[in-house]
Amino acid sequence: MRTIHPVILCGGSGTRLWPLSRALLPKQFLPLAGTRSMLQETALRLAGLRDATAPILISHVDHRFLVAEQLREAGGALALHLLEPEGRNTAPAIAAAAVWVAAQDTDALLLVLPSDHAIRDVPGFHQAIGRAATLATNGRLVTFGIVPTSPNTGYGYIRRGTPEAATPQAYAVTEFVEKPDEARARMFLERGDYYWNSGMFLFSARRYLEELRRFRPEIITSVEAAILNGTRDLDFLRLDEGAFARCPAESVDYAVMERTRDASVVAADIGWSDVGSWSALWELEPKDAQGNSVRGDVYLDQASGCYVRAEDRLVAAVGVRDLVIVETDDAVLVAHKDRAQDVKQAVEHLKASKRDEHISHRRVYRPWGYYETLDEGIGFQVKRLMVKPASRISLQRHRRRAEHWVVVSGRAKVTRGNEVMTLGANESTYIPIGEKHRLENVGADPLFVIEVQSGDYLGEDDIERFDDDYRRT
C-alpha cells in the first residue's frame, strides 16, 4: 500500500452558522458539536489510520496562528502548513499540496479532507479510506459518497455507475449533480443510486496533477510558480502572492472530478455531516423528550423541536417550536429551522451596512493570546488583554492613540521607549501617542491587563511594528 498524506483544507467562512461563526473565527475553529473544534476533530480522527503520515494543513494566512495553536492543543503532529495569500477555491489548494508531496514521494496518495465536517463512525471512515486507497493505487480518482438519509437540498449529489472490480461498495461515477430542488432530491433518494457529495477525496498526487494539467493547465502553472517562489516563515510555507493571485478560482469538482474519465465513488454510511447550518447541527446533537437541543444557560417552557444556544447570557424560550435561537456576546439570531440556510442573508446585510458583527466577536484571538472589547465610545475604547506565558506583543507604536495599561493579574514586563519596567497586579503605566512600546508576560500564569485607549482613531490598523516574534507586518 502506498503512503497516504492527509490534506486538511482549513478554508471556508461558515456564514450560515452566524452569529457564532465569523470571518476571523469561522466554524472550523469552533467547538460546535463537542468540546474540541471541528479542525481538531478532523485531525484527531486520523489517529490509527493505516499507512498515513502527519497531515498537511492549508489555511489562509490570516488564520495561520489559530490553526497552528489548535493543532498544538490537540497534540497532533504536522507535516507542512501551507499558507494561501487569498482563497482560490479547492482545486488550487489541493494542487499546492500535490506539487509539494509529489516532489518528496512520487507514489504518494492524497487524502483530501475539509476541516469542518462531523463523522460519527470513525472505524467505518477508516474502512472506506482503505477501499478508496486500493482504487487510487490503480490510478482512479476517488470521492466519498455519503449514503443519503433524507432528500436534502443543501448537498450536491453523485450518481453511481458500474461496480469497481474487487472493491466492495465502490463504483464508477456516472455524473455529479448540483444541489437539487426538493422534488429531484426525493427522486434521487427513491432511486437509491445517488449519494451525497461529501467533498472528501483520495487520489495519487501524480494522477491529480496529470488530470489538472490536462483540463486546467493555468492552475498548475500558477501553483507551481507559487510553490517555487514561496517563502519559509517560522513553521509555515507561504505561497507566492503574485503567482497564486493569477490562479483561476475553481473547485476540485469542476476542475477535475466532473471532467475525468477515471472518477470513482466509495459509498460511506459513516454518520457524516458538513454541519452547514444550524438545522444540520440540531440533527447531530442530543435532544430532550421534546426534541430540543440545548447548549449553555437555557430555560425552556412548552418548547419543542428547537436548537437553543446561549454563549454569554440566560436565554429563555416559552411556547415556541422548530426555532433556532443562538445568543453571543454581541448578537442574537432567531430563525425557523426550515429557513436556517438563509442565515447567510443576514451576513450579507451586515456587510452591506458596513457593520463588523460578521467579522469578529468581541474576543479576538492573536498568536500571543487574545483581546476583548469591554466598552467603547467617541474617542475611547476599553479592552481586556490576555497574554500567554512566555509570550509578548510586537514592539510597536500608534500614531493616533494613547494607551493606559492596568495589570489585573500576572507579571508584566513593559517596554516604553528606552524604559523597561516590571508590573504586578494593581500597577499601571501610560503609553503616550507615538511612543514605542511592548507588553510581555514574564510569569508562569496568563497575564491579564485592562487597556484604555484614547485618541481620534482607534482602529486596529493604527499599528507600526518594529519587532515581532510572529513576523507580522
Side-chain angles (χ1 to χ4, degrees):
M1 184 64 68
R2 296 180 183 179
T3 302
I4 296 174
H5 296 256
V7 178
I8 301 179
L9 305 176
C10 302
S13 58
T15 55
R16 288 174 294 180
L17 287 166
W18 183 86
L20 208 57
S21 178
R22 311 278 177 107
L24 292 182
L25 192 66
K27 70 171 184 173
Q28 56 268 32
F29 306 122
L30 297 170
L32 291 177
T35 58
R36 299 187 184 94
S37 74
M38 305 294 287
L39 168 61
Q40 289 172 326
E41 293 286 0
T42 301
L44 289 172
R45 72 172 62 105
L46 295 171
L49 180 61
R50 184 180 175 186
D51 299 313
T53 67
I56 298 166
L57 272 65
I58 305 176
S59 74
H60 190 276
V61 63
D62 290 346
H63 293 144
R64 63 194 185 281
F65 296 112
L66 185 58
V67 171
E69 178 66 11
Q70 289 206 351
L71 196 66
R72 185 197 65 78
E73 289 178 352
L78 178 64
L80 177 70
H81 189 165
L82 282 167
L83 300 181
E84 296 179 301
E86 59 179 291
R88 306 303 291 163
N89 216 316
T90 54
I94 298 168
V99 168
W100 187 84
V101 167
Q104 325 297 319
D105 180 359
T106 56
D107 293 325
L109 302 181
L110 298 186
L111 172 63
V112 179
L113 304 172
S115 60
D116 54 359
H117 291 181
I119 294 176
R120 289 175 176 161
D121 182 5
V122 174
F125 175 52
H126 287 190
Q127 291 173 8
I129 292 171
R131 293 193 293 272
T134 299
L135 295 170
T137 299
N138 293 321
R140 304 293 289 180
L141 289 83
V142 187
T143 185
F144 296 85
I146 305 301
V147 178
T149 57
S150 67
N152 197 304
T153 59
Y155 300 141
Y157 284 73
I158 301 167
R159 185 182 179 188
R160 75 185 188 206
T162 56
E164 296 284 6
T167 305
Q169 300 181 43
Y171 307 86
V173 172
T174 298
E175 65 173 333
F176 289 85
V177 182
E178 294 296 321
K179 296 176 182 178
D181 57 26
E182 186 172 352
R184 292 190 74 205
R186 289 190 179 280
M187 183 267 287
F188 294 163
L189 187 64
E190 291 170 1
R191 283 180 56 105
D193 57 351
Y194 284 83
Y195 302 110
W196 290 337
N197 187 348
S198 70
M200 301 185 295
F201 306 92
L202 200 152
F203 34 63
S204 81
R206 177 179 54 80
R207 282 291 294 124
Y208 177 71
L209 294 175
E210 287 174 352
E211 293 296 83
L212 196 60
R213 198 180 302 277
R214 177 184 173 195
F215 298 119
R216 299 298 283 128
E218 307 94 324
I219 293 179
I220 283 288
T221 301
S222 299
V223 168
E224 287 179 336
I227 289 280
L228 179 64
N229 299 315
T231 56
R232 278 284 181 178
D233 179 0
L234 299 175
D235 295 327
F236 313 112
L237 176 59
R238 289 176 178 262
L239 298 174
D240 180 73
E241 184 173 1
F244 202 67
R246 293 191 292 272
C247 189
E250 291 184 6
S251 70
V252 61
D253 283 324
Y254 180 77
V256 172
M257 297 302 292
E258 294 179 10
R259 303 167 187 248
T260 183
R261 295 180 179 179
D262 295 325
S264 299
V265 57
V266 167
D269 189 3
I270 52 177
W272 171 93
S273 173
D274 73 345
V275 197
S277 67
W278 289 114
S279 58
L281 189 57
W282 171 82
E283 291 176 355
L284 280 176
E285 293 279 73
K287 303 172 187 64
D288 63 19
Q290 288 71 45
N292 299 301
S293 175
V294 171
R295 286 275 187 122
D297 190 6
V298 174
Y299 167 75
L300 299 180
D301 183 11
Q302 300 298 309
S304 62
C306 294
Y307 180 89
V308 187
R309 188 176 189 124
E311 293 290 306
D312 288 276
R313 289 159 288 184
L314 166 68
V315 172
V318 180
V320 297
R321 58 190 300 179
D322 298 329
L323 292 185
V324 170
I325 305 173
V326 180
E327 176 271 339
T328 68
D329 55 5
D330 61 347
V332 177
L333 167 71
V334 180
H336 196 279
K337 285 213 310 278
D338 290 347
R339 298 291 302 277
Q341 296 281 349
D342 298 332
V343 171
K344 60 184 178 181
Q345 295 176 10
V347 175
E348 293 302 317
H349 169 74
L350 294 173
K351 292 179 182 178
S353 303
K354 300 188 184 304
R355 299 181 62 125
D356 58 9
E357 289 92 340
H358 67 289
I359 298 174
S360 67
H361 296 271
R362 290 188 181 273
R363 176 176 292 186
V364 178
Y365 290 91
R366 290 290 186 257
W368 44 260
Y370 64 78
Y371 69 81
E372 54 189 343
T373 303
L374 304 179
D375 195 9
E376 56 188 325
I378 298 175
F380 81 93
Q381 188 166 227
V382 181
K383 293 181 176 179
R384 182 173 71 154
L385 313 183
M386 188 283 285
V387 183
K388 296 180 292 187
S391 297
R392 60 183 182 173
I393 69 173
S394 60
L395 180 64
Q396 58 185 248
R397 71 179 174 192
H398 311 294
R399 297 190 177 276
R400 299 177 64 178
R401 74 172 185 249
E403 295 176 342
H404 296 259
W405 287 342
V406 181
V407 176
V408 177
S409 65
R411 289 183 58 78
K413 178 181 176 182
V414 175
T415 300
R416 185 181 63 183
N418 295 323
E419 184 181 5
V420 178
M421 66 191 82
T422 300
L423 302 178
N426 300 317
E427 295 182 312
S428 63
T429 189
Y430 170 68
I431 311 295
I433 293 176
E435 186 76 272
K436 289 184 181 179
H437 59 279
R438 173 176 248 161
L439 178 66
E440 181 177 354
N441 185 350
V442 292
D445 299 315
L447 169 66
F448 287 93
V449 173
I450 297 297
E451 177 181 270
V452 181
Q453 303 175 354
S454 59
D456 64 352
Y457 180 75
L458 306 174
E460 283 299 307
D461 54 346
D462 180 25
I463 297 179
E464 183 181 3
R465 292 189 172 97
F466 299 92
D467 179 58
D468 183 45
D469 295 342
Y470 313 104
R471 301 184 185 177
R472 296 167 295 174
T473 57

